[in-house]
Amino acid sequence: MARLAKLKARRVLDSRGRPTIEVDAFASDGSIGRAIAPSGASTGRHEAFELRDVDSTRFGGRDVGRALANVEGEIARRLNGFELDDQYSIDRALIELDGSKNKSRLGANALIAVSLACARAAAESHREELYIYLNKIWRSHAIAGVDAAPRLPVPIVNMISGGAHAGRNLDVQDVLAVPLGERSYSDSLERIVALYHELGAVLREQGEEGSLVGDEGGYGPKLSDDSVAIERVVAAIERIGLAPGVDFAIAVDVASTQFHDESTSTYLMRPRARDGSRGKPVKITSSQMIDMLESWVNRYPITALEDPLAEDDREGWREITRRLGDRVHLIGDDLFVTDARRLREGVDEKVANAILIKPNQAGTLTETLETLALAKRSGYRTIVSARSGETEDSTIADLAVATASDHIKIGSVARSERLAKYNRLLRIEEKLSEANIN
């Protein structure tokens, strides 16, 4: 049985040109696993802490030198010799070694890169595809309470970006498309690509495309109202000969924590002129925010709202769940931050009905799996998600398949750090098809 022999950490760059951590895990049998920590732009206050050298002049205070040193120092000394098959012992050791509530001592970016690199090394040692190895962990772990075979997720794809992902040209963060119907992943991806390019044509014709592309590859137009972004996507669906609400649905990542004013418990929406210029912020209450979102659900083929209320607006979450929970997926991202404890509270309070899963929010693979398992047992939809600061690491594609997640949210069908995951899913689809034939 292979054991961890060595950890090697290096500084690499993410999709925003900022430093992040890449870790190589070397096994005693010569196998090597590699993983890279992603980074978010709109981060929830409750998620695991990303360690940066804020007092350094390197990379504008965003360097990861201390986290790198932690990997090759304390973490390596603690983990060397561990059986790579025992992912839970590896992750428990990481959590205990850090000792803080939010992974702030050693850094969640260091811990998740080590955790995932070890899993990859174990899969390589067994000469197994990563999704196969992760599925074995998923199915054998006692607390999971699930026994799901690997399955391809339905993609939720960024079309128009706003908020922290595109210079705050819109209040909401993303308008996304969701393919509907019993189609193969590859067929759905082909439709998504057609929709993305047609949307570009729609925006150009309206004089709205501009030159801005968001962090996740979506278009970043200046529009007179956030709802216009939804209308443009609906128009593009119709122009490729498909039916909104039948062939494609709409999802909206509201990311409302980003414009929530805690001091007044209101949301600061910024009205726009027809040319896209922004006016003075207008304060609206939680109920008014829900009214606006409900009007969108009534007007457009929306099936999912992500973070429609701020992360700590629990009363607002209860109200929107009462009003819209039987009509759309209400996805908690900042609300739950891939934390089983916060999800359990949400289940008890009957808020939301879906969860976004981001491994670096949790800090280790097993904590991510525990949260996924709790969501599935509780009847919540699961959406494995990338971050806005991404890399060529495609682990989340394997994770989504291994845990039979309902959806995957990667970004748009542009930019190589996004396509690395979409293309990985194409390869997995091929392998699953071959396995079914044989």
Side-chain angles (χ1 to χ4, degrees):
M1 188 171 295
R3 295 179 180 272
L4 180 64
K6 179 182 176 182
L7 290 174
K8 171 66 179 176
R10 67 179 61 85
R11 178 188 294 103
V12 295
L13 299 180
D14 68 17
S15 58
R16 285 195 289 259
R18 296 175 181 173
T20 187
I21 299 173
E22 179 176 77
V23 171
D24 291 345
F26 296 84
S28 57
D29 65 358
S31 303
I32 303 173
R34 173 174 292 168
I36 312 177
S39 179
S42 59
T43 55
R45 74 171 68 182
H46 302 290
E47 68 181 77
F49 184 81
E50 181 183 74
L51 186 61
R52 298 275 179 178
D53 302 344
V54 294
D55 54 352
S56 171
T57 58
R58 298 194 66 183
F59 295 98
R62 294 191 178 99
D63 198 21
V64 291
R66 278 182 288 193
L68 292 171
N70 289 339
V71 172
E72 295 191 347
E74 284 190 63
I75 294 174
R77 288 192 296 271
R78 180 70 180 90
L79 293 186
N80 283 346
F82 269 61
E83 292 183 359
L84 284 169
D85 273 354
D86 194 351
Q87 186 71 40
Y88 291 92
S89 291
I90 289 171
D91 288 348
R92 278 197 300 271
L94 286 171
I95 294 165
E96 291 169 3
L97 183 64
D98 176 83
S100 68
K101 291 183 178 180
N102 63 348
K103 316 292 195 301
S104 59
R105 196 179 76 81
L106 297 175
N109 42 348
L111 270 57
I112 192 61
V114 169
S115 180
L116 296 180
C118 287
R120 281 190 167 275
E124 180 64 24
S125 177
H126 286 284
R127 303 295 185 265
E128 290 180 331
E129 294 287 343
L130 181 60
Y131 71 90
I132 295 292
Y133 179 73
L134 293 179
N135 182 255
K136 287 180 178 179
I137 298 176
W138 171 250
R139 297 170 73 175
S140 66
H141 186 39
I143 70 162
V146 294
D147 185 24
R151 186 185 70 206
L152 284 156
V154 176
I156 299 178
V157 185
N158 189 313
M159 290 287 150
I160 292 180
S161 294
H165 290 173
R168 303 197 180 279
N169 55 311
L170 303 173
D171 286 316
V172 301
Q173 188 148 279
D174 298 306
V175 176
L176 309 99
V178 187
L180 301 175
E182 298 295 326
R183 303 183 65 85
S184 69
Y185 167 75
S186 51
D187 285 348
S188 293
L189 188 61
E190 183 177 351
R191 285 186 168 194
I192 289 162
V193 170
L195 176 60
Y196 179 77
H197 291 297
E198 190 62 37
L199 175 60
V202 169
L203 295 172
R204 283 192 296 274
E205 291 172 11
Q206 296 293 329
E208 296 166 339
E209 183 188 31
S211 59
L212 178 65
V213 175
D215 283 347
E216 297 184 354
Y219 297 102
K222 290 184 177 180
L223 302 171
S224 58
D225 187 81
D226 286 11
S227 63
V228 175
I230 303 172
E231 292 170 1
R232 297 293 182 259
V233 176
V234 169
I237 293 169
E238 294 172 338
R239 289 209 352 192
I240 61 172
L242 299 177
V246 176
D247 299 304
F248 271 106
I250 302 293
V252 181
D253 181 0
V254 184
S256 56
T257 298
Q258 300 301 304
F259 51 89
H260 182 250
D261 180 8
E262 287 189 28
S263 64
T264 60
S265 297
T266 59
Y267 296 85
L268 305 180
M269 308 292 286
R270 294 173 296 173
R272 281 172 291 280
R274 292 187 65 82
D275 64 1
S277 60
R278 313 302 298 267
K280 184 178 179 180
V282 174
K283 295 180 179 181
I284 66 172
T285 65
S286 290
S287 290
Q288 290 171 321
M289 170 69 81
I290 297 167
D291 288 343
M292 180 189 75
L293 296 174
E294 186 173 26
S295 72
W296 288 0
V297 171
N298 290 336
R299 289 161 56 195
Y300 307 115
I302 292 173
T303 59
L305 296 170
E306 180 182 334
D307 280 349
L309 283 307
E311 57 197 351
D312 292 321
D313 184 0
R314 305 300 283 224
E315 182 51 45
W317 270 100
R318 284 190 285 271
E319 182 180 349
I320 197 169
T321 304
R322 286 194 299 269
R323 289 170 60 173
L324 294 178
D326 61 346
R327 298 176 60 187
V328 299
H329 302 315
L330 299 172
I331 306 168
D333 176 15
D334 293 343
L335 176 68
F336 296 135
V337 293
T338 317
D339 183 306
R341 180 187 58 81
R342 288 185 63 83
L343 175 58
R344 193 170 292 107
E345 291 173 353
V347 172
D348 291 343
E349 294 179 27
K350 295 182 172 56
V351 299
N353 55 24
I355 182 172
L356 212 66
I357 297 292
K358 297 173 177 176
N360 77 317
Q361 286 183 329
T364 65
L365 172 60
T366 54
E367 287 172 291
T368 302
L369 293 175
E370 287 164 2
T371 305
L372 269 163
L374 175 60
K376 284 183 173 290
R377 291 200 308 271
S378 304
Y380 279 50
R381 305 282 284 190
T382 57
I383 304 98
V384 173
S385 176
R387 301 307 300 256
S388 55
E390 262 298 336
T391 74
E392 63 271 25
D393 189 312
S394 60
T395 301
I396 63 166
D398 288 78
L399 176 66
V401 173
T403 58
S405 289
D406 299 294
H407 296 282
I408 190 167
K409 182 172 176 249
I410 296 169
S412 200
V413 284
R415 303 180 54 142
S416 293
E417 77 278 1
R418 311 291 155 186
L419 294 173
K421 284 82 162 168
Y422 287 117
N423 290 341
R424 173 60 180 158
L425 288 169
L426 286 171
R427 299 182 193 106
I428 294 175
E429 180 181 48
E430 184 178 274
K431 289 183 178 297
L432 290 175
S433 177
E434 290 171 353
N436 289 333
I437 291 173
N438 295 332

